[in-house]
Amino acid sequence: MSIESHSPAPAVQNPTQDIIKDGLWRNNPALVQLLGLCPLLAVSGTVVNALGLGIATLLVLIGSNVAVSLIRNHVQDTVRLPAFVMIIASFTTTAELIMQAYAFELYQILGIFIPLIVTNCIILGRAEGFARKNTVWRSLVDGTMMGIGFMGILLLLGIIREVIGQGTLFAGMELMFGPAAVNWKWVIIPDYSQFLFAVLPPGAFVALGLLIAGKNVIDDRQKQRVQKAVDDQPALSRRVRVTGHIH
Amino acid sequence: MSLMQRSSPHVMGRNTTSRIMLWVIVAALPGLLALSYFYGWGYLINTVICVVSAVLAEAAILMLRKRPVLKTLKDASAVLTGVLLGVTLPPFAPWWIMVIASGFAMVFVKHLYGGLGQNLFNPAMAAFALVLISFPLPMTTSWSTPEAISGEPLPSFSQQLSHNLEWQAYDGITMATPLDHYKTKIKRLTADELAQTPEYVAGPFYGILWVNLAFLLGGLLLLFLKIISWHGPVGLFTGLLVLALPFSADADSAMPVLMHLFAGATVFGAFFIVTDPASSATSNRGKFIFGFGVGILTYCIRTWGNFPDAIAFAVLLMNISAPFIDHYTRPRTYGKPKPVSGYKLPEESP
Amino acid sequence: MSRVDRIWPLPGGIHPPEHKSESNGRPIARLPAPHHVVLPLHQNSGLPAEPMVAIGEQVQRGQLIAKGHHPVSALVHATISGRVTAIEDRPFAHPSGLSVPSIVIESLSDQEAALSPEAVSMAPMRDWATETKERLVSRIQEAGITGLGGAGFPSHIKYLGQRQIHTLIVNGVECEPYITADDRLMREHATDIVTGTQIALKILSASTAFIAIEDNKPEAISAIKAALVAVTDTRIKVKVVPTKYPSGGEKQLVYLLTGREVPSGDIPASLGIVMQNTGTLYAIKEAVVSGTPMTERVVTITGEGTPNPGNYWVTIGTPIQDALAATQVAVTGNRPRVIMGGPMMGYDVDITAPVSKVTNCLLVPSATEFPTAPDPDPCIRCGLCEQACPANLLPQKLFWNAVHHEWEQARLNSLSDCIECGACSWVCPSNIPLVQHYRFAKAEIKREAIETIKADQSRLRFEQRQARLERDAAEKDAKRKARAAEAAKAQAAKAQDTPSTLDASAKDAILASVARAKAKKAASTGPVTQEALENTVVLAQQAVDKTRVKLATAVSDGLPSVEALTGALQKLEKRLADAQSALQSHTETGDAP
Ligand code: SF4
Ligand code: SF4
C-alpha cells in the first residue's frame, strides 16, 4: 500500500516518540498522506461539525487499531481485510449509536458521513499499514496520534471556514455539549453576510491547500535552520561529527 | 548571455505584452462608458476600486513571491483584470465585493498558479464566479435600471459613491438583468404579454443593446489591430447560434436568439474573455474550438441551469479543457506525415 | 488559374520592415581590387582542400590553388593575381568565429603586374547546348562554384544526384530584409541568369524551371520576363510570390511553388526538385559561356552605419574591413559591428574575416538600429509564435522544452524541423529569445547524441579487447597443454624405446622437430593475421562510427551533405561487414585443427 511508503522508517522500529511525531506532524494523515479527504472537505464547514466527526473518527481509529493489533497473530492473511473491515464497521456503528444517543442533532447534521467513517482510508490504512505489524501499545499510540492529527486539521479547517464563511466561531456547540453551550457562540464579525465560497466544498479545498503550503513553509524553515546550524559549526567539530556518523 | 543576444534574429517586432494589455483596456472603454451612461456611475466607481485593489493585491503577492514588483506591474495585466472585473460586477454592489474579487483574481487565480501566462483559469471570470456563488444576494439584486425603464433618474455620483462604499444606502430601483428577467417571466407570460411589462416598454434591448454594440466596437478594434484573432469570438457566436437557432425559435417558451446575442455578456465574453491568451487554447483551430465550447455551454447553462448569464461558468469549464484542446489541435509539422499526437515514453534502449 | 501558375500560400510568416530601398536604387558598382585576399581552404560545407601552391609562389587570378580529394570539397581559385604570402589559420566568417587554414595572396606591385598575364580562364563553351552533361558538370566543379546562398555547398553535387529531377526552382525571392543583391543582379543580368537556368535545365534534364521572385521587386520581375521573351523558352516560368518572410527558405519555397512538402530530414531532390540561387546560375553561366571561374560576387553593403549603401562586386577573399573601407565606412579595430546576412538570420562576424562565396550581405547597423532586446517577460501563451511559424511548429512548447531541458519532448515536438528563421522571436510580444533557446537545445541534443555514440564506441572497443585477451589466454593455455602432452609422449616413447630402435626414434625426433617448426610457424603467422584482421575490424568500426556522428550532425543541421554522407556510410558499413566476416572465418578455421 502506498501509505507505507510515506512512513519515514519501517513501522516496527518506531519508538513511541516517533509514532507521536508521525501522527501529529511528520506523516499527518490529512496534510501529508492526504487521506480521508472526503469527510475532511465535506464536514469542516463549522467547528462543531469538525469536532463531531473528528472525535468519532478518533474513537473508531483507536478502537480499530487496538483490536486489529490484538488479533494480528490469529487472522489468516487471506481473510485479513474482511476481518479488519468488520472490526472497523463495528466500531463505526458503535460511534454512530453513541452519537444518536447523546448528540442526535449533530448526528443528523453529519448524516451520511458518520457511517462513511468505515470507508475512511486513514482507518483501514493504519490497520493494514501499522496495527497489523505492531504491538497493542504501539497501535494504541498510533491510533490516538493519527486520530488527533486528523482531528486537529479538521478543527483548523472548521475554524478557518467558520470564521471566513459565517463570521462566527463555535456556533451550534449546544448540538454537542447540551444547552449549556448555547452562549459559547462567538460572533467575530457582526452583521456578516455569509461568504458562501468558504462554506462550500471548493473553499475547503483552497483552505486545505493553504494549510499544506503552510506546513511546507514551516518544514523548509526548519530544514534551513538545521542546515545553518551545521554550517555554522567550526570545521573541526563538524568533521568529527561526520566521521562519527556514517550514514 | 551576451552571445545569446548577439545571434539572430537581430530585430524584434514592436509588439509587447504591455502594448497588448493596454490596447485591450482601451478597447474595453467604450463598453464601460456605455454601461455608465445607461446604468449610472456604479460601473465607473467599481472599475476604479477593482483596478486599485487588483494592482495592490498583485504588488503584495509579488513581494511575497520575491519577484520584481514594478517591472511586473508595468505589463498592465493587473489593470486589465481590474477593468474586466469592473464591467462585470453589478453597479450597486458594495465595495468589499470588488476588493475580494480583485484580490482573489490576482492572488489565487493568477499568482498561485505561477503568474502571468501560467494561470489555468481566466482571473476575472474565476473571481466573478467566486463572488457570485459566495454572495448571491448582493450579486443578484445590485443591478441598476436605466432611467427610461424605471422612470426614475439614476443616482448622482455622490449618491452612488456613498452607496457603494456603504456609507449611506441608496434606495433606487434595482432590477434583475434582462436575461434573468426574461427567463423568470417567460414561464408565466407569452412573449407578447412580456412586451407589455414596464421593463419592456422601452424595448427589450434598451441600453443593453448599445452596451453590447460598444463592446463589439472595441472587439473590432482589437481584431483590426491583430491583437486578437477572429477564431475565438466567431467560435463562441457559432456555438451559441448552433443551439439557439433551433431551440429558441419559439419566443413564448425560450429566449429569442437576438437576446442571447445582445442582451447579456455575450459580446463582451466573445471579445474580451474568450480571447484571453493565457487561459484559452493557443492554435487558431484550438481557439475556435474553445470559443465554440463556451458558446454551447453558455446556451446550456442559460437555458437549463440556475444562472441567468453563464459566460463566466462556461469560460471556466472550457479553461479546464484548454490543455486538452491544445493537445488535439497540434498542427502537422512541415514535411511530416501526421501531427505528433502526444508524447510517447522514450523507447526502451536495448 | 492553372496548376503551373498557382501559389500555395505559406502558413505563418511575418512582414518585418523591408529596408530594401536603401541599397537597391543604384547599379552594382565594382569595388577596387583588394591589396590582399584570404582564401579559406575549408569552405563552408564540405571537406577541406589541400593547397597546391607554396609560400612565395606567384599566382594568377583564376588559377587553381587548392583542391580536395573528396567530391564534396570545392576547388579554391586565386581571386587576385599576386604572390602567396602565407598559408596559416585565419578567422573565417562563420557563426562559430573559428579560424581555419587559409591561403593569403598579396597583390603584385604594378611593375610585376605589368609583366605577368592578368588572369587565367578556361576555354569558353559558347555552344554549351551541344556539350555533354558530364563536361558541363565538371566545368561547374572546376569553376569552384558553390551555392551563393545558405550553406555554400558545392553546386556540382546537386547535378550529380541519382534522383530524377523534373523541376528546377530559381530562388530570387530574397525575403530577408535589407538584402538586395539578387534583386540588383536580376535587374542587371537577367539574360545571363536565364542562360544559366537553361544550362542547369540541360544538365538536370528537367522539364520545368520556375523563377520565383517576391512581388516587392517589380523591376527584377519585368527584367526577367523581358529576358524570357527574348529567348522564348517555354520551360521557364516566372512565379511572383507574395512578399513574406521567410518565403525564400528552401523548404518554404518548394511548398509555395509546388504545394508539396520536402519530407522531414530530406532534401528537395526527393521530390524531383533542385533549387538554385540566381547568383549561382549567373556564376554557372559565366563559368560555362565565358570560362571564368568564380572570383567575385555581389554583396549588399547596407545598414545605417554605411554612408554609401548599395550593391558591390566584391572579390572573394577580400577582408570584410577592406570591403567596408572601400565604401567609406570608418573602420577602427574591430568596430563597427558587422552582421553577415540579414537581420533575421545573419550572424556577427569578425571584420578581419574574408568575404566568402556565401556572403550576400554585410549589414553595418548603427548603434541604435538593432537595440538589444529588453529583458523577456513571461510567456503569455498568446500563440502568436505558433501562427508565425512557417514550419507549423509549436514554438512556445519548444521553448518550455528547452527551458526545462526536456530533450525527448523537444524531439517529439519536431525541434529538428525548426529552420531557425526567427519569425517566432520576431512576433513574440514578451521578447523571448526563442531561437536562441532552440539553438541551445539543438546543440545539447547533438552533444548528447555524440556522447552516446562515443560511449558505444569505446564500449565496443573494450569488449573486443577483452575478447581478444581471453582468446589469447585460451590459446596459450592450449599450447602449453599440447606441449606438455607431447613431452609426456616423448618421455613415454623414450622409456619404451630400446637402443635397437634408435633409428626410428631419431626419425621420430626429426619428424617431431619438423612438426614443431611447422606448428611454430603456424602459431607465429596465426596470431599476426588474427591481429591484423581485428585491427581492420576496429578501424572500419571507427570509420563507420565517425561517419555516423557526422551524418547525425549533418541531419540535425540540415546540411546538404546528408546524401553524400549516407552513401559513404553505406560503403563503410559494407567494408566493416566484410572485415568482420573475414575475421569470423579466420577464427573458425584457425580454431578447428
Ligand atoms: S525559428 Fe523555428 S520555431 Fe521559430 S518560426 Fe522559425 S521555424 Fe518556427
Ligand atoms: S509569442 Fe511569445 S508570449 Fe506568445 S506564446 Fe509565443 S512565446 Fe509565448
Side-chain angles (χ1 to χ4, degrees):
Chain A
M1 253 185 144
S2 64
I3 303 147
E4 279 166 274
S5 65
H6 283 289
S7 317
V12 198
Q13 291 160 11
N14 282 351
T16 315
Q17 262 186 352
D18 265 4
I19 304 178
I20 297 176
K21 232 180 169 175
D22 266 356
L24 295 187
W25 185 261
R26 226 171 27 202
N27 203 15
N28 185 298
L31 288 190
V32 181
Q33 304 180 44
L34 294 183
L35 292 178
L37 283 187
C38 162
L40 189 76
L41 299 174
V43 294
S44 60
T46 60
V47 177
V48 66
N49 288 358
L51 195 62
L53 192 83
I55 291 176
T57 311
L58 174 67
L59 291 179
V60 175
L61 190 50
I62 296 175
S64 73
N65 254 19
V66 170
V68 166
S69 177
L70 273 175
I71 60 159
R72 70 182 189 281
N73 295 326
H74 310 287
V75 210
Q76 294 271 320
D77 246 14
T78 37
V79 294
R80 182 178 90 224
L81 279 179
F84 292 172
V85 173
M86 291 298 286
I87 293 173
I88 298 168
S90 330
F91 279 106
T92 309
T93 316
T94 320
E96 196 183 348
L97 291 175
I98 294 176
M99 277 200 117
Q100 277 186 29
Y102 297 103
F104 186 66
E105 277 154 323
L106 186 63
Y107 166 79
Q108 277 187 319
I109 292 175
L110 293 181
I112 186 68
F113 290 100
I114 295 290
L116 274 184
I117 292 177
V118 180
T119 59
N120 189 327
C121 359
I122 299 175
I123 297 167
L124 193 60
R126 291 328 286 177
E128 176 73 16
F130 193 94
R132 185 164 69 89
K133 308 170 202 153
N134 282 284
T135 57
V136 177
W137 166 247
R138 276 182 211 267
S139 305
L140 174 69
V141 177
D142 181 74
T144 320
M145 289 308 145
M146 286 286 164
I148 294 179
F150 179 70
M151 188 171 73
I153 301 306
L154 206 56
L155 273 180
L156 215 52
L157 275 180
I159 293 174
I160 295 174
R161 289 176 66 189
E162 190 176 338
V163 171
I164 297 181
Q166 301 171 4
T168 64
L169 208 51
F170 308 126
M173 280 308 217
E174 65 275 10
L175 299 179
M176 202 162 170
F177 298 100
V182 170
N183 44 16
W184 288 9
K185 177 172 167 178
W186 178 21
V187 179
I188 294 183
I189 312 167
D191 290 338
Y192 191 71
S193 69
Q194 281 202 336
F195 188 28
L196 269 177
F197 181 70
V199 179
L200 295 171
F205 272 108
V206 174
L208 181 66
L210 290 178
L211 286 183
I212 294 173
K215 174 177 187 290
N216 290 347
V217 169
I218 295 174
D219 281 351
D220 275 357
R221 291 251 166 92
Q222 206 159 1
K223 219 183 280 166
Q224 273 168 14
R225 221 175 303 135
V226 171
Q227 187 63 38
K228 217 171 147 231
V230 172
D231 288 347
D232 285 350
Q233 267 174 358
L236 191 68
S237 66
R238 189 164 57 197
R239 239 185 79 201
V240 170
R241 214 183 82 104
V242 171
T243 43
H245 265 277
I246 297 170
H247 300 285
Chain B
M1 199 58 210
S2 69
L3 242 182
M4 291 273 275
Q5 284 167 351
R6 274 304 181 85
S7 59
S8 67
H10 305 277
V11 281
M12 285 282 196
R14 266 174 316 172
N15 208 357
T16 60
T17 307
S18 50
R19 174 177 168 268
I20 293 182
M21 301 293 168
L22 286 173
W23 273 115
V24 179
I25 295 171
V26 168
L29 290 183
L32 177 61
L33 293 181
L35 280 170
S36 308
Y37 177 78
F38 289 105
Y39 297 95
W41 290 101
Y43 280 108
L44 277 176
I45 294 171
N46 281 355
T47 305
V48 172
I49 300 177
C50 284
V51 168
V52 171
S53 38
V55 169
L56 290 181
E58 173 147 73
I61 186 79
L62 281 171
M63 272 187 243
L64 210 62
R65 291 182 65 206
K66 304 197 177 67
R67 297 293 143 101
V69 177
L70 278 182
K71 180 177 182 289
T72 313
L73 284 180
K74 258 201 308 212
D75 67 28
S77 60
V79 179
L80 175 59
T81 306
V83 171
L84 296 183
L85 271 173
V87 297
T88 31
L89 292 172
F92 279 88
W95 61 274
W96 46 265
I97 287 195
M98 314 299 139
V99 175
I100 289 177
S102 319
F104 182 80
M106 285 298 122
V107 176
F108 283 85
V109 189
K110 187 169 164 194
H111 279 282
L112 284 192
Y113 282 91
L116 182 62
Q118 309 277 332
N119 44 312
L120 181 60
F121 296 104
N122 183 314
M125 288 302 102
F128 179 80
L130 168 89
V131 289
L132 183 60
I133 57 167
S134 295
F135 313 110
L137 197 66
M139 285 296 291
T140 42
T141 58
S142 301
W143 304 97
S144 88
T145 318
E147 193 181 333
I149 293 178
S150 65
E152 279 194 37
L154 289 164
S156 72
F157 179 74
S158 57
Q159 279 171 324
Q160 181 82 53
L161 190 66
S162 34
H163 175 89
N164 283 17
L165 295 182
E166 294 196 314
W167 292 329
Q168 195 176 19
Y170 173 77
D171 254 352
I173 292 193
T174 62
M175 182 189 97
T177 57
L179 288 184
D180 202 2
H181 182 80
Y182 200 100
K183 191 175 164 184
T184 43
K185 288 281 163 65
I186 200 67
K187 288 183 186 141
R188 281 174 284 121
L189 306 174
T190 64
D192 289 336
E193 286 164 356
L194 196 64
Q196 304 306 315
T197 55
E199 289 85 353
Y200 282 86
V201 280
F205 288 122
Y206 181 77
I208 192 77
L209 176 67
W210 291 104
V211 170
N212 272 289
L213 290 180
F215 278 124
L216 185 65
L217 184 75
L220 293 179
L221 174 72
L222 293 182
L223 273 180
F224 174 74
L225 291 171
K226 296 217 171 70
I227 283 175
I228 59 175
S229 72
W230 55 266
H231 303 79
V234 170
L236 191 153
F237 290 127
T238 318
L240 194 60
L241 288 179
V242 159
L243 286 186
L245 284 177
F247 285 106
S248 296
D250 177 14
D252 287 339
S253 59
M255 193 149 41
V257 176
L258 275 182
M259 278 200 81
H260 269 296
L261 289 181
F262 290 113
T266 313
V267 177
F268 170 74
F271 289 103
F272 292 84
I273 299 300
V274 166
T275 53
D276 170 39
S279 57
S280 149
T282 46
S283 69
N284 282 341
R285 222 155 32 111
K287 282 177 178 153
F288 182 86
I289 297 173
F290 182 88
F292 189 82
V294 172
I296 298 272
L297 286 173
T298 301
Y299 184 86
C300 294
I301 302 175
R302 274 183 186 173
T303 314
W304 298 297
N306 272 335
F307 294 94
D309 205 346
I311 293 283
F313 295 100
V315 167
L316 291 180
L317 285 172
M318 288 312 288
N319 282 163
I320 308 176
S321 349
F324 177 77
I325 298 176
D326 276 345
H327 189 88
Y328 283 97
T329 51
R330 300 163 71 86
R332 184 182 61 78
T333 304
Y334 179 103
K336 288 234 165 122
K338 59 177 182 331
V340 190
S341 67
Y343 297 130
K344 282 173 259 145
L345 287 174
E347 289 123 38
E348 293 279 322
S349 46
Chain C
M1 225 192 270
S2 79
R3 210 173 159 73
V4 182
D5 291 328
R6 196 173 146 193
I7 296 285
W8 281 261
L10 208 61
I14 54 173
H15 297 97
E18 292 177 13
H19 287 287
K20 302 238 183 202
S21 56
E22 288 93 328
S23 56
N24 70 2
R26 283 183 294 140
I28 309 173
R30 191 172 298 274
L31 287 190
H35 169 255
H36 73 280
V37 291
V38 180
L39 300 166
L41 291 172
H42 198 111
Q43 296 291 343
N44 277 356
S45 303
L47 305 168
E50 270 172 35
M52 299 157 62
V53 288
I55 295 176
E57 208 172 297
Q58 195 167 320
V59 294
Q60 263 118 45
R61 181 151 69 84
Q63 181 184 333
L64 184 63
I65 55 171
K67 176 168 153 186
H69 299 300
H70 196 274
V72 181
S73 57
L75 306 181
V76 182
H77 297 85
T79 56
I80 57 172
S81 299
R83 183 167 284 121
V84 177
T85 55
I87 301 179
E88 60 188 21
D89 282 4
R90 287 294 182 104
F92 171 45
H94 190 264
S96 61
L98 283 178
S99 290
V100 297
S102 314
I103 298 179
V104 183
I105 303 172
E106 228 161 79
S107 64
L108 300 172
S109 64
D110 291 347
Q111 278 175 336
E112 279 176 306
L115 292 178
S116 59
E118 204 213 312
V120 287
S121 57
M122 298 165 286
M125 300 179 175
R126 290 225 186 319
D127 38 5
W128 49 267
T130 58
E131 293 288 350
T132 62
K133 215 163 137 173
E134 287 69 29
R135 269 179 53 87
L136 289 170
V137 173
S138 65
R139 167 56 59 90
I140 291 173
Q141 182 180 14
E142 281 158 22
I145 297 174
T146 64
L148 262 62
F153 199 66
S155 291
H156 64 275
I157 301 295
K158 284 195 180 173
Y159 298 103
L160 286 177
Q162 301 303 313
R163 308 195 231 202
Q164 179 58 45
I165 303 299
H166 52 74
T167 306
L168 168 72
I169 294 180
V170 182
N171 188 345
V173 173
E174 207 165 46
C175 57
E176 270 255 9
Y178 286 91
I179 310 180
T180 55
D182 287 350
D183 181 9
R184 279 308 322 183
L185 192 71
M186 284 188 284
R187 292 195 210 180
E188 296 174 28
H189 295 278
T191 324
D192 297 333
I193 291 171
V194 169
T195 313
T197 311
Q198 287 172 317
I199 298 173
L201 278 174
K202 174 172 166 57
I203 302 175
L204 294 167
S205 336
S207 55
T208 326
F210 294 132
I211 303 183
I213 311 174
E214 259 185 359
D215 58 11
N216 61 357
K217 304 178 187 57
E219 295 92 345
I221 297 169
S222 46
I224 295 277
K225 279 193 174 152
L228 280 178
V229 170
V231 299
T232 56
D233 190 335
T234 51
R235 295 172 304 168
I236 308 177
K237 274 206 168 304
V238 173
K239 272 199 165 191
V240 179
V241 300
T243 302
K244 191 193 226 183
Y245 176 85
S247 308
E250 187 178 61
K251 295 181 167 191
Q252 277 62 42
L253 191 55
V254 167
Y255 179 76
L256 197 57
L257 299 188
T258 65
R260 301 186 61 189
E261 295 179 11
V262 182
S264 171
D266 213 332
I267 54 172
S270 62
L271 301 176
I273 295 171
V274 159
M275 188 174 297
Q276 291 272 272
N277 182 275
T278 46
T280 314
L281 289 175
Y282 175 77
I284 288 177
K285 181 256 155 192
E286 286 291 289
V288 173
V289 180
S290 326
T292 338
M294 191 177 166
T295 59
E296 56 180 9
R297 67 156 294 151
V298 184
V299 178
T300 307
I301 297 182
T302 184
E304 284 173 15
T306 51
N308 297 308
N311 287 290
Y312 300 92
W313 284 106
V314 181
T315 306
I316 288 159
T318 311
I320 289 172
Q321 51 188 4
D322 295 354
L324 293 181
T327 62
Q328 277 84 46
V329 177
V331 181
T332 45
N334 61 355
R335 304 255 72 176
R337 172 189 178 197
V338 175
I339 295 167
M340 195 173 116
M344 296 304 295
M345 292 183 82
Y347 41 87
D348 282 52
V349 285
D350 184 339
I351 61 169
T352 59
V355 167
S356 74
K357 290 174 184 172
V358 298
T359 309
N360 51 2
C361 179
L362 293 173
L363 182 52
V364 187
S366 64
T368 51
E369 199 166 1
F370 300 143
T372 3
D375 278 351
D377 288 326
C379 166
I380 56 170
R381 290 181 18 97
C382 61
L384 287 174
C385 47
E386 194 177 325
Q387 280 137 43
C389 179
N392 271 338
L393 300 175
L394 301 167
Q396 172 234 118
K397 283 236 166 70
L398 288 173
F399 161 66
W400 288 119
N401 295 156
V403 168
H404 296 136
H405 294 215
E406 300 162 341
W407 308 138
E408 184 56 29
Q409 302 202 346
R411 199 180 61 77
L412 286 169
N413 280 324
S414 312
L415 177 64
S416 57
D417 289 295
C418 166
I419 57 168
E420 296 183 20
C421 66
C424 50
S425 295
W426 194 82
V427 295
C428 177
S430 292
N431 287 315
I432 301 173
L434 295 165
V435 180
Q436 280 85 341
H437 281 288
Y438 306 153
R439 284 202 194 102
F440 168 71
K442 282 183 181 175
E444 282 296 299
I445 291 173
K446 199 193 303 176
R447 197 177 53 76
E448 272 178 23
I450 291 175
E451 260 166 28
T452 349
I453 294 181
K454 272 199 188 137
D456 284 354
Q457 221 170 325
S458 53
R459 202 195 54 225
L460 194 75
R461 251 197 309 253
F462 175 76
E463 281 169 3
Q464 277 170 347
R465 188 182 126 82
Q466 212 63 13
R468 198 180 62 226
L469 289 180
E470 268 165 31
R471 207 169 40 233
D472 281 359
E475 260 168 29
K476 253 186 216 151
D477 206 35
K479 251 183 260 163
R480 196 170 42 78
K481 271 187 195 144
R483 232 178 289 134
E486 211 171 291
K489 214 162 70 187
Q491 204 82 33
K494 229 187 222 168
Q496 208 182 49
D497 264 357
T498 53
S500 63
T501 53
L502 184 89
D503 232 39
S505 91
K507 218 188 257 171
D508 262 2
I510 292 164
L511 277 180
S513 78
V514 168
R516 221 174 303 143
K518 256 190 200 159
K520 205 168 170 189
K521 198 170 168 202
S524 67
T525 51
V528 170
T529 30
Q530 175 91 11
E531 195 115 351
L533 284 174
E534 273 166 17
N535 271 341
T536 329
V537 170
V538 171
L539 286 178
Q541 182 72 44
Q542 278 172 359
V544 166
D545 289 340
K546 255 187 220 152
T547 320
R548 275 207 189 119
V549 174
K550 262 190 211 138
L551 183 62
T553 323
V555 168
S556 68
D557 285 356
L559 293 182
S561 53
V562 172
E563 211 179 0
L565 282 172
T566 321
L569 182 61
Q570 273 163 2
K571 255 181 233 153
L572 285 172
E573 268 168 349
K574 173 137 191 315
R575 201 182 295 163
L576 174 63
D578 288 344
Q580 269 166 343
S581 65
L583 178 62
Q584 181 108 10
S585 62
H586 177 87
T587 355
E588 273 163 15
T589 51
D591 282 348

